[in-house]
Amino acid sequence: MIIAIDGTLASGKGTIARRLAVHYGLPHLDTGLLYRATGLAALKRGVSLDDEAALAALASGLDWARLDDPHLRSGEVGAAASQIAIFPKVRAALLQAQRDFAHQPGGAVLDGRDIGTVVCPAADIKLWIDAAIDVRAGRRWRELRDQGNPLSLEDMLDQLRERDARDRSRSEAPMQRAADARLIDTTDLTIDAAVDKAVEVVESLNRPTP
Ligand code: DC
């Protein structure tokens, strides 16, 4: 079973994806980490975030064993990831490896922005996770504060608007809900309730037809 999960920043999609993977005993790939690792490699090596060919080379050479680097989660690296994700050559460099991950025996859970639309358009289950922007900003603000990177809530809201706009408006594989993706709005849900809802949706879609 391939479960494709897309959605906006701080919607809860990452946690839902991780928890669904544990629930169904499936491997999980947070595809945002691939874009983040490419962005971080560029920042570290002084590669311009506008140099598409050099960025694509970095994406091709990523060491997947190092995707657990906590530095990848920082706001700075997330912003770089969103910037480099606009380039078709960067996306192309990461595409086949994501598909290979999805198509391993037994399936997998992948989360990102274009999983249901581009990476796995034939996924068994597609979920679109979203929440009101002020709620998402509050969640992300608390997360960054706890990491010791305080930011005003107003700045957080601005950053989120900018990130959403860039992810939605890029010409290649923009962030969008697949026509056949089921929406889970986490605005008023605790994370446990959101995960329960996701399991419920998977069960309803995965039920064999009589
Ligand atoms: O989910 P995240 O915040 O870790 O993603 C960081 C950026 O990476 C996001 O702003 C856009 C890009 N991204 C993408 O373009 N496609 C994906 N499948 C995943 C992430």
Side-chain angles (χ1 to χ4, degrees):
M1 172 168 65
I2 297 177
I3 304 180
I5 303 182
D6 293 300
T8 49
L9 184 76
S11 59
K13 68 178 168 18
T15 309
I16 291 174
R18 266 194 310 280
R19 302 257 299 256
L20 279 183
V22 171
H23 186 88
Y24 290 105
L26 293 170
H28 166 231
L29 178 63
D30 170 355
T31 62
L33 289 177
L34 303 175
Y35 293 90
R36 286 172 180 265
T38 305
L40 179 58
L43 294 174
K44 275 188 176 161
R45 294 177 202 192
V47 169
S48 161
L49 299 184
D50 290 326
D51 186 343
E52 182 170 4
L55 292 166
L58 290 177
S60 302
L62 279 188
D63 179 358
W64 284 43
R66 299 180 67 182
L67 293 179
D68 56 359
D69 178 352
H71 195 179
L72 292 176
R73 307 269 174 198
S74 76
E76 183 199 9
V77 174
S82 176
Q83 271 174 267
I84 60 112
I86 66 170
F87 293 117
K89 285 184 183 150
V90 171
R91 306 197 71 84
L94 297 172
L95 184 58
Q96 193 54 47
Q98 293 176 80
R99 287 192 173 147
D100 291 346
F101 188 92
H103 290 280
Q104 57 190 297
V109 180
L110 287 84
D111 73 279
R113 303 288 194 290
D114 63 340
I115 309 303
T117 49
V118 175
V119 177
C120 302
D124 302 286
I125 312 281
K126 295 184 190 178
L127 303 178
W128 174 259
I129 318 295
D130 202 0
I133 191 159
D134 53 327
V135 170
R136 294 193 287 123
R139 289 174 186 162
R140 189 72 184 128
W141 177 79
R142 277 188 293 279
E143 205 180 310
L144 288 183
R145 183 200 56 192
D146 294 348
Q147 288 172 8
N149 298 309
L151 199 72
S152 79
L153 200 51
E154 235 353 272
D155 286 347
M156 191 70 251
L157 258 171
D158 286 345
Q159 279 192 14
L160 226 61
R161 283 195 195 102
E162 190 187 327
R163 179 86 79 88
D164 281 356
R166 196 187 300 124
D167 290 348
R168 278 199 180 101
S169 65
R170 63 172 178 243
S171 53
E172 185 82 7
M175 170 175 81
Q176 61 181 334
R177 180 179 171 185
D180 52 351
R182 289 282 293 270
L183 167 71
I184 297 179
D185 184 331
T186 65
T187 304
D188 297 317
L189 299 180
T190 62
I191 193 62
D192 283 341
V195 173
D196 287 349
K197 177 100 197 144
V199 171
E200 216 176 274
V201 172
V202 173
E203 295 297 320
S204 71
L205 295 174
N206 203 32
R207 197 172 291 144
T209 37

